[in-house]
Amino acid sequence: MPASDTPSVTRRSAMAGAAASAAAASLPPVALAQAPSAAAPAGALEAPVTATLSLTVNGEAQSLELDTRTTLLDALREHLHLTGTKKGCDHGQCGACTVILDGKRVYSCLTLAVMHEGDAVTTIEGLGRPDSLHPMQAAFVKHDGYQCGYCTPGQICASVAMLEEIKAGIPSHVTADLTAAAQTTAEEIRERMSGNICRCGAYSNILDAITEVAERQA
Amino acid sequence: MKPFTYERARSPAEAAAAAARRPGAKFIAGGTNLLDLMKLQIEVPAHLIDVNGLALDKVEPTPEGGLRIGALVRNTDLAADERVRRDYAVLSRALLAGATGQLRNKATTAGNLLQRTRCPYFYDTAQPCNKRQPGSGCAAIGGFTRPLAVIGGSEACIATNPSDMAVAMRALDAVVETVRPDGTTRSIPIAEFHRLPGGTPHIETALEAGELITAVTLPPPAGGRQFYRKVRDRASYAFALVSVAAVVQRDGTGRVALGGVAHKPWRVEGAEAELRRGAKPAMAAILDGARPTPENAFKLALAERTLASVLAEARG
Ligand SMILES: Cc1cc2nc3c(=O)[nH]c(=O)nc-3n(C[C@H](O)[C@H](O)[C@H](O)COP(=O)(O)OP(=O)(O)OC[C@H]3O[C@@H](n4cnc5c(N)ncnc54)[C@H](O)[C@@H]3O)c2cc1C
Ligand code: SF4
Ligand code: FES
Ligand code: FES
C-alpha cells in the first residue's frame, strides 16, 4: 500500500494469515486479518488487528500494543489503569470520559487510541494529586461540586480546558457579539459546560466552583 | 465494533486511491460520528484511512474574495476564525449551536458535512431501515415521526439531515471540493451535494466511492445581517427540531435555509422573493409541498415562527 504509512501488507498476504507481530515490528500501525466470511460486508475481517502506539500520558511516555478498535478511553482505563477517567455512555452523550488532548478537551470514548501516535493526554490523575490538588479540583471539593462523583473527573477536565477556550477568544452559542471577546459569565459557563451531564444534578455547585477559579484567574 | 485494519494517509490523492482499492474502506477524521456508528455496527468498515495527518487544516482567502476551508478544520476553529465571525456569522452561529465544546474540538468540516441521520430507527439495529439496510423497509413511516422530515421525503425514507453547519453553508452557497481515486478533482455546489432519499436513501451525497473532500469554499461575503436560529428540546447539546439560517439585507431581501425538516439542508431560492412580504408567505413558499405527519406537523408552524423572529430581529 504505497498510499500510506501502512507496511506492505497486501490483501493476499493478510488473507494468508501472516503474523500480526511480524508486521507490527516493521512500522505502526499495522494491518492484518484473516479471510472474510461469506455473509459479511465488503472486506470484512474476522480476527482482531493489533497496532503499536506511543503517546504521552500525564507527562509520561507510554508504549502500547492495542487492538485497533481500542478507544482512547479504554486505552487509558483498561491498559494504563488510569481509571479516573470514567465511561458513562461510550457514545459522546455524557462527558464523563473528557480528557485534555494536546491542550484541548475531547471525549475519549469517540476517538481511537491508534489515532493518537505522539500526542499528549492529560487525565484527572495528571491535573493534580491528592496532596497537591489542581485549583479546579480544590474548588470542586470546597463547593461540593458533586454527589456521587462519577461525572466529576470529566467535569474538572472539561472546565479547566473550557476556561482556556474563553481566554483564547473562542465564542460560544450564547456569546452575544461574535466580534467581541467572550466573558466568563454564568450563562457562558453553563453553555460551555453543557457537554458534561451530571445525573446527580450538582450543577449549581459545579458552576460555583468554576466561577471561583475563573475569577481568581481573571 | 468489527475488526478493521488502519492506515494513515499521506496525501489526499493517495488517500482517495487507497479507499477505492480497499474493499470496505472508510476515511476517519474526528471520528465522532463514525465511531459512534461503528460501536453499534451500523457502520462496519474493514479498513480505516486516517486523514488527520493531511495538511487540510487551514482557512485561507480565495482569489475571488471568499474563503477556502480545509476539510480537516475543526468545528471549534472554524467557528472562532475571525473572518468567519465577521463575514460569515451565520456559519459561526450554526457551528456553535451544534454538539458540545468537546465534540466541536474534534469534529471536522468534512466529517460534519457527512454525518449521518439521527433517525431513531436508523440507530436501532433491530428495526428495518432502508438507509441502514437497503430494501429492508422503513420503520419510521407509521412509527414515531416527531423528529423526522416534513418535506422532500419518500416512500422509502423520511429521515432528516442533522447537521447545523451544512444549513449555514447552504445559505452561503458553499462549494465542496474533492479529489477522486483517479486523482482528478471537482467542485460540487452544496445544493447538489446532499441528496433527497428517493428510492435509495442509503446514497446520501453526490460523492463517488473513495472520493475525498479536500475543502469547502465560500464565495465572497454575502453581507447583510446573518442569523442561525435553532429550536430544540433542550437549550444545548441537542439536535434541531427546526433551524433557520438566514442572510437578510437592509432592503428586506435575503436567503433562507432550513434544518431539521428534510433529508438535506432545505432551501428554495425561488421562494426568497417572498421574504419582503414576511415570514408567513415566505415560509409557505419554502415549505410548499410539505407532507408532514400529525406528529411532526408542528414543524411547519415552528419554522414560520422562527423565521418571523429572525426577520423581526433583522429589522431591528
Ligand atoms: C452526542 C452528539 C451530539 C451532537 N450534536 C450535534 C448537533 O447538535 N449539531 C450537529 O450539527 N452535529 C452534532 N453532532 C454531530 C457532530 O457534528 C459530528 O459527529 C461531526 O461533525 C462529525 O465530524 P467528524 O470529523 O468527527 O467525522 P467522522 O466521524 O470522522 O466522519 C464522518 C463521516 O465522514 C467521512 N469523512 C470524514 N472526512 C472525510 C473527508 N475528508 N472526505 C470524505 N469523507 C470523509 C467518514 O468516512 C465518515 O463516514 C453531535 C454528535 C454527537 C455524538
Ligand atoms: S426514515 Fe430513513 S433512516 Fe429512518 S428508518 Fe426510515 S429508512 Fe431508516
Ligand atoms: S463516555 Fe464519552 S461522552 Fe459519555
Ligand atoms: S456527581 Fe453524580 S453524576 Fe455528577
Side-chain angles (χ1 to χ4, degrees):
Chain A
M1 185 136 317
S4 73
D5 269 356
T6 307
S8 52
V9 179
T10 62
R11 193 67 211 141
R12 190 179 307 150
S13 70
M15 295 203 322
S21 54
S26 62
L27 190 68
V30 160
L32 279 185
Q34 293 178 341
S37 71
L45 313 178
E46 276 170 356
V49 179
T50 55
T52 57
L53 167 73
S54 304
L55 76 177
T56 305
V57 181
N58 299 330
E60 238 177 87
Q62 300 283 356
S63 283
L64 293 167
E65 183 165 344
L66 296 171
D67 187 313
T68 52
R69 292 171 291 183
T70 313
T71 60
L72 180 60
L73 173 61
D74 287 340
L76 293 169
R77 286 183 56 86
E78 310 297 331
H79 297 267
L80 296 173
H81 308 294
L82 291 167
T83 52
T85 307
K86 301 300 183 214
K87 181 184 285 190
C89 64
D90 212 21
H91 285 278
Q93 298 176 358
C94 75
C97 66
T98 302
V99 298
I100 303 174
L101 178 70
D102 289 337
K104 291 177 180 162
R105 53 182 179 159
V106 301
Y107 294 148
S108 59
C109 71
L110 283 189
T111 191
L112 294 171
V114 288
M115 295 167 74
H116 297 291
E117 176 69 33
D119 287 354
V121 183
T122 302
T123 68
I124 190 71
E125 291 93 341
L127 273 184
R129 305 297 312 167
D131 54 354
S132 58
L133 293 179
H134 183 280
M136 192 65 80
Q137 291 171 317
F140 268 67
V141 173
K142 176 178 164 194
H143 290 276
D144 229 354
Y146 43 76
Q147 282 181 39
C148 76
Y150 198 81
C151 73
T152 313
Q155 299 277 4
I156 291 176
C157 287
S159 53
V160 167
M162 179 275 294
L163 292 180
E164 293 302 315
E165 289 172 3
I166 296 182
K167 273 192 226 154
I170 293 166
S172 87
H173 176 60
V174 299
T175 308
D177 180 356
L178 278 183
T179 56
Q183 307 295 313
T184 321
T185 62
E187 192 193 11
E188 284 280 2
I189 294 173
R190 275 200 205 96
E191 161 59 24
R192 290 169 190 266
M193 289 299 294
S194 75
N196 292 78
I197 308 289
C198 175
R199 280 208 315 187
C200 299
Y203 295 112
S204 63
N205 292 357
I206 291 171
L207 178 63
D208 289 346
I210 298 173
T211 304
E212 183 181 299
V213 175
E215 282 170 357
R216 238 185 286 144
Q217 287 182 359
Chain B
M1 269 189 255
K2 292 287 188 193
F4 54 83
T5 49
Y6 170 87
E7 69 175 285
R8 296 192 189 101
R10 283 218 187 102
S11 79
E14 287 175 2
R21 210 162 41 233
R22 279 298 279 267
K26 267 205 158 283
F27 303 118
I28 185 160
T32 60
N33 188 230
L34 186 57
L35 289 170
D36 184 15
L37 295 170
M38 283 169 65
K39 289 180 185 192
L40 298 165
Q41 295 187 20
I42 294 166
E43 298 267 20
V44 284
H47 183 63
L48 286 185
I49 301 170
D50 183 346
V51 297
N52 284 285
L54 301 180
L56 301 173
D57 56 354
K58 287 173 196 65
V59 182
E60 297 162 321
T62 64
E64 294 75 33
L67 283 183
R68 185 169 191 274
I69 303 159
L72 285 159
V73 174
R74 307 288 154 175
N75 287 181
T76 298
D77 298 330
L78 185 56
D81 186 281
E82 254 174 61
R83 295 157 293 186
V84 177
R85 285 154 79 167
R86 185 186 61 223
D87 298 331
Y88 305 94
V90 61
L91 180 56
S92 271
R93 288 288 180 204
L95 286 160
L96 296 171
T100 65
Q102 287 95 321
L103 286 162
R104 292 190 298 269
N105 281 344
K106 273 255 148 229
T108 63
T109 306
N112 192 320
L113 269 183
L114 291 173
Q115 64 173 294
R116 305 200 68 192
T117 187
R118 294 280 160 169
C119 170
Y121 302 98
F122 173 74
Y123 266 82
D124 180 352
T125 50
Q127 299 284 342
C129 168
N130 289 322
K131 189 183 278 299
R132 180 167 25 78
Q133 198 167 8
S136 63
C138 171
I141 296 174
F144 172 71
T145 57
R146 181 175 179 270
L148 301 178
V150 295
I151 195 161
S154 70
E155 298 307 312
C157 179
I158 54 169
T160 57
N161 181 304
S163 172
D164 291 299
M165 182 195 79
V167 182
M169 287 184 171
R170 181 71 179 89
L172 292 171
D173 288 324
V175 175
V176 181
E177 293 182 13
T178 69
V179 58
R180 287 186 278 204
D182 65 3
T184 57
T185 60
R186 62 171 175 153
S187 301
I188 310 168
I190 186 94
E192 291 154 33
F193 184 78
H194 293 105
R195 295 174 76 256
L196 287 178
T200 52
H202 59 291
I203 304 172
E204 293 167 345
T205 68
L207 292 182
E208 295 165 10
E211 192 167 2
L212 178 86
I213 299 177
T214 51
V216 172
T217 52
L218 301 178
R225 294 193 62 186
Q226 305 195 357
F227 303 87
Y228 188 77
R229 192 145 309 166
K230 175 173 175 180
V231 185
R232 39 187 158 171
D233 283 329
R234 57 183 185 192
S236 189
Y237 207 0
F239 289 92
L241 288 167
V242 162
S243 68
V244 170
V247 178
V248 186
Q249 305 295 343
R250 222 174 251 283
D251 62 2
T253 60
R255 314 163 176 195
V256 174
L258 304 182
V261 299
H263 199 257
K264 57 191 254 181
W266 193 255
R267 180 172 172 200
V268 181
E269 277 88 340
E272 289 168 1
E274 297 293 319
L275 274 175
R276 297 176 77 167
R277 298 180 48 227
K280 201 176 179 67
M283 197 52 77
I286 294 167
L287 291 178
D288 185 32
R291 284 176 41 202
T293 66
E295 254 180 348
N296 65 24
F298 76 95
K299 288 191 177 187
L300 304 186
L302 191 56
E304 183 194 311
R305 289 174 195 159
T306 307
L307 179 61
S309 96
V310 164
L311 294 180
E313 193 179 332
R315 277 192 304 270

